[in-house]
Amino acid sequence: MIRLEIAGRATRDSEVHNLKTGATVANLTVAVTVPMGKDKNGGVFIDLKCWPPFDVIAGGIRKRDPVYAVCTARTEEWEKDGKQFKKTVWVPVTLTGGAGASAAPRSTIPAAAPAAKADTEDDLPF
């Protein structure tokens, strides 16, 4: 099982769609900062597909709101113009977000071990 923990901010307002079956799904993109080497950070954009019951939470998330999610991977396949397409989407099994929400709720993230004290201040990222 693939598991991904995401803590970041929404890049745009979530989009909620009503399906023919009566179910709803909310689509959301989260921007996450990741280390790219010494003194460099990069951004990664992760698309979430939120099914019930998380569609209600995701439906209230707006651009720049903090988001924390634990997700599993799902592969979607479809055909268009005779060509087969495949894409991996991330489906939350835990989701927190929206105005006033913490991007990383303390109750769901284990505490990190204390970092060793650096000998020089040059090793600090700030």
Side-chain angles (χ1 to χ4, degrees):
M1 172 189 231
I2 298 173
R3 178 180 154 178
L4 176 68
E5 290 187 46
I6 302 166
R9 294 207 174 260
T11 61
R12 56 185 163 78
D13 291 354
S14 60
E15 299 172 356
V16 179
H17 301 281
N18 295 313
L19 305 178
K20 293 177 185 178
T21 61
T24 58
V25 63
N27 295 317
L28 177 66
T29 302
V30 180
V32 178
T33 302
V34 294
M36 303 294 282
K38 186 176 180 178
D39 300 327
K40 293 181 183 177
N41 288 325
V44 174
F45 301 97
I46 300 169
D47 294 325
L48 304 181
K49 184 166 275 194
C50 306
W51 297 95
F54 302 112
D55 60 328
V56 175
I57 297 168
I61 295 175
R62 302 291 170 241
K63 185 176 183 177
R64 295 188 197 90
D65 280 349
V67 175
Y68 173 76
V70 176
C71 304
T72 60
R74 181 185 298 175
T75 301
E76 291 185 348
E77 299 177 11
W78 69 95
E79 184 179 329
K80 182 176 180 181
D81 299 330
K83 294 184 180 180
Q84 294 288 332
F85 294 92
K86 194 183 281 191
K87 170 175 128 173
T88 301
V89 295
W90 295 98
V91 179
V93 293
T94 301
L95 178 65
T96 304
S102 170
R106 292 183 185 170
S107 62
T108 59
I109 296 179
K117 187 174 180 179
D119 291 335
T120 65
E121 290 186 24
D122 294 336
D123 293 338
L124 298 176
F126 45 88

